[in-house]
Amino acid sequence: MSYRIGLDLGSTAIKVVLAENRALRWCRKVPTAPGQEALAMGLVQACLDELGLSMSDIVSIAATGYGKKLASGAGRTVDEISANALGMFTLSGGRCRTIINIGGQDLKVINLDENGRIADFKMNDKCAAGTGRFFEQAARILDTPLEQFGEMSARARETLELNSTCVVFAESEMVSLLAKGVDKESIIRGLHNSVARRIANLLGRQALKGDIYLDGGPAQNAGMVEALEDELLAEVHVLDDPQFTVAFGAAISD
Ligand code: ADP
């Protein structure tokens, strides 16, 4: 058995995975907070304990994510784009050609060729609108857990799209919609529609080639996936543990 560990020190969540022979065997996350390395290594220890392994069973530990340099316990670092590309290509069984990653603070689109190599890459990290933080802020304003966004948007009574392209304005737009009596379900649906529009703009006018996969924490939100499919007029695939593809890619990288 070959066991490898990947740490993804992301802007909002620290993710740890254990890969066993290029398959995802174990994964867990904690919110990002000061002392990132200790938090990540705490998860590593939990993984070893639960699987009855010791550090000597581990071939390598690799770190990725914006805080990757803080992980001194890792033998090497891997950039987020390469880790995402390798992780998604492998976990999709070589089918993925377009990755849409919604992270805590940025949006990324990565195009892959048939060998999993990066053919093109675009990122929007200038504005928090459309990112995981934006969803977290919306959850606070609407006083609704993020985990309920998917099923709630399916019950929306109205079709609307938030016009604001900036988080600060989107916040006041949500507050004023609530004040007008618009149901939370429709606001959440509108939020998904506006994020889907932002993603479509980032993709540009290029024809979408091959299978599209969404990853990052917000990929767990079925309402977001549906809004994206409606906007792109294409099927959007989501793997079982979409928040862990980047950590997995780091784990199995050379
Ligand atoms: P990063 O790597 O930048 O920390 P992640 O890919 O880990 O980003 O995504 C973090 C985001 O995922 C959070 O900001 C939150 O919006 C979203 N998220 C986490 N869990 C869920 C969930 N169960 N449903 C919907 N969104 C979620």
Side-chain angles (χ1 to χ4, degrees):
M1 285 303 167
S2 163
Y3 299 112
R4 293 158 169 265
I5 284 177
L7 317 175
D8 178 2
L9 277 62
S11 61
T12 61
I14 294 171
K15 281 81 67 181
V16 171
V17 311
L18 179 108
E20 178 180 334
N21 297 333
R22 294 176 84 82
L24 200 164
R25 171 81 190 275
W26 186 97
C27 59
R28 192 159 301 162
K29 63 175 179 174
V30 287
T32 298
Q36 294 188 39
E37 154 133 77
L39 289 169
M41 294 318 282
L43 291 181
V44 170
Q45 195 54 54
C47 169
L48 297 177
D49 292 347
E50 286 174 27
L51 300 181
L53 299 171
S54 69
M55 210 45 117
S56 58
D57 296 311
I58 306 302
V59 175
S60 65
I61 302 183
T64 188
Y66 105 117
K68 57 186 173 289
K69 299 226 166 68
L70 299 171
S72 56
R76 62 184 195 286
T77 58
V78 185
D79 76 87
E80 292 86 295
I81 315 301
S82 306
N84 203 347
L86 178 62
M88 184 58 99
F89 191 73
T90 307
L91 289 172
S92 71
R95 280 183 283 278
C96 176
R97 293 293 177 275
T98 300
I99 304 171
I100 298 168
N101 177 284
I102 310 180
Q105 290 181 8
D106 59 25
L107 276 178
K108 301 188 196 84
V109 172
I110 307 169
N111 291 107
L112 305 175
D113 69 15
E114 62 279 10
N115 298 310
R117 278 192 291 262
I118 297 166
D120 192 22
F121 158 67
K122 288 180 196 154
M123 172 153 93
N124 183 348
D125 59 356
K126 303 269 183 303
C127 169
T131 68
R133 282 249 194 256
F134 183 53
F135 283 116
E136 286 177 23
Q137 192 187 17
R140 274 193 294 275
I141 292 167
L142 300 171
D143 193 21
T144 301
L146 209 40
E147 291 74 17
Q148 290 178 15
F149 273 34
E151 46 138 323
M152 283 181 74
S153 69
R155 289 190 267 115
R157 287 203 291 267
E158 292 177 43
T159 302
L160 56 92
E161 189 171 321
L162 297 193
N163 296 314
S164 306
T165 50
C166 161
V167 181
V168 181
F169 293 123
E171 184 178 325
S172 48
E173 201 178 344
M174 280 186 266
V175 171
S176 84
L177 286 167
L178 280 175
K180 278 186 204 149
V182 176
D183 56 302
K184 287 182 184 178
E185 287 82 353
S186 298
I187 299 175
I188 291 169
R189 179 69 176 266
L191 194 77
H192 294 154
N193 291 343
S194 68
V195 175
R197 180 68 58 88
R198 278 186 90 78
I199 292 171
N201 288 340
L202 184 63
L203 279 163
R205 266 178 282 170
Q206 68 182 55
L208 283 168
K209 294 184 208 89
D211 287 6
I212 305 165
Y213 284 73
L214 179 68
D215 70 0
Q220 295 165 97
N221 174 351
M224 187 59 243
V225 181
E226 198 183 315
L228 200 51
E229 289 187 322
D230 289 349
E231 179 69 35
L232 302 178
L233 298 175
E235 190 177 352
V236 174
H237 303 271
V238 180
L239 297 171
D240 282 347
D241 295 299
Q243 205 171 355
F244 294 91
T245 34
V246 182
F248 176 75
I252 62 166
S253 67
D254 293 325

